[in-house]
Amino acid sequence: QSALTQPRSVSGSPGQSVTISCTGTSSDVGGYSYVSWYQQYPGKAPKLMIYDVNKRPSGVPDRFSGSKSGNTASLTISGLQAEDEADYYCCSYAGSSFVFGGGTKVTVL
Amino acid sequence: EVQLVQSGAEVKKPGESLKISCKGSGYTFTNFWIGWVRQMPGKGLEWMGIMSPSDSETRYSPSFQGQVSISADKSISTAYLQWSSLKASDSAIYYCVRGDHGDYWGQGTLVTVSS
């Protein structure tokens, strides 16, 4: 069971949109509609941002959206804000267990 | 208010045993699975395993199967992560997380294993 593949880093200016990809296989991302995304600030616990591919928990800004195509899931942050600078991790169900991506650092220029 | 409160930081020697805890409150403990996630220093998140407090069904990541043990005492709404013989490579922050969506996280427990 290998970690899902995410880009190490993405960046954008305030107001722009950035998209983080999360590539797995048909045994995880492609096989289930159970992809979650987490935001983590340094020294803090992760926070759920998206679950079940594209659902937002209460309180998460609608600037955050999720999608999936085949074995690749994506998190898009629209209207990037300074407070969005953090690490982001995807996580997928993999049939009796879960697997995380390696994480992506989002930098707001 | 839903809360997961974890036990405090631990400093142990290689070969020692350890059991850390995660107490849930503000919700019906047996209605949600509890998972554990490892984060080694400066590294990403790793999913370790998950347990149903209602019937003790437990599933482990292949990477952690046989290396740790997950349990729970539903009478006190507390989940546990246990090692029988720690290694230096077990040094990390360990998070408990509610449910398969991970909608609530504990504050993390720092485990340091050093001789």
Side-chain angles (χ1 to χ4, degrees):
Chain A
Q1 187 181 57
S2 300
L4 307 176
T5 301
Q6 297 181 232
R8 292 290 292 272
S9 64
V10 298
S11 62
S13 300
Q16 288 186 330
S17 293
V18 295
T19 296
I20 304 168
S21 60
C22 170
T23 302
T25 69
S26 57
S27 297
D28 38 64
V29 175
Y32 308 94
S33 294
Y34 294 119
V35 177
S36 301
W37 289 89
Y38 302 92
Q39 176 192 63
Q40 187 180 35
Y41 293 116
K44 300 295 186 182
K47 174 188 175 184
L48 178 66
M49 304 301 283
I50 295 286
Y51 68 98
D52 290 353
V53 176
N54 56 15
K55 296 181 174 64
R56 265 190 319 277
S58 174
V60 172
D62 59 7
R63 303 183 288 104
F64 292 85
S65 62
S67 63
K68 190 186 84 163
S69 177
N71 296 337
T72 299
S74 299
L75 174 72
T76 297
I77 310 173
S78 305
L80 198 62
Q81 298 184 6
E83 66 204 53
D84 300 331
E85 184 162 297
D87 294 324
Y88 293 83
Y89 296 89
C90 61
C91 181
S92 175
Y93 183 64
S96 81
S97 65
F98 291 80
V99 61
F100 280 102
T104 298
K105 181 173 180 56
V106 171
T107 300
V108 181
L109 302 172
Chain B
E1 178 194 8
V2 173
Q3 283 192 309
L4 295 175
V5 179
Q6 298 185 228
S7 49
E10 301 274 2
V11 179
K12 292 288 190 179
K13 290 180 165 47
E16 291 186 333
S17 63
L18 176 63
K19 192 174 189 178
I20 62 176
S21 66
C22 168
K23 183 173 177 59
S25 62
Y27 71 100
T28 302
F29 187 71
T30 51
N31 284 358
F32 294 85
W33 291 62
I34 286 279
W36 289 92
V37 174
R38 181 175 80 174
Q39 188 165 37
M40 299 178 76
K43 301 299 183 181
L45 305 176
E46 299 174 271
W47 193 85
M48 302 176 71
I50 196 166
M51 179 182 203
S52 168
S54 63
D55 63 5
S56 297
E57 180 182 351
T58 309
R59 303 173 184 177
Y60 294 94
S61 163
S63 301
F64 292 93
Q65 179 81 48
Q67 307 304 308
V68 297
S69 178
I70 295 172
S71 61
D73 184 339
K74 56 188 178 184
S75 70
I76 55 172
S77 301
T78 300
Y80 302 98
L81 179 66
Q82 185 171 7
W83 295 260
S84 59
S85 180
L86 287 160
K87 302 185 287 288
S89 58
D90 291 319
S91 295
I93 296 174
Y94 293 88
Y95 294 102
C96 61
V97 53
R98 190 182 83 158
D100 48 6
H101 294 314
D103 54 357
Y104 288 91
W105 291 62
Q107 82 277 22
T109 295
L110 175 63
V111 173
T112 303
V113 184
S114 174
S115 54

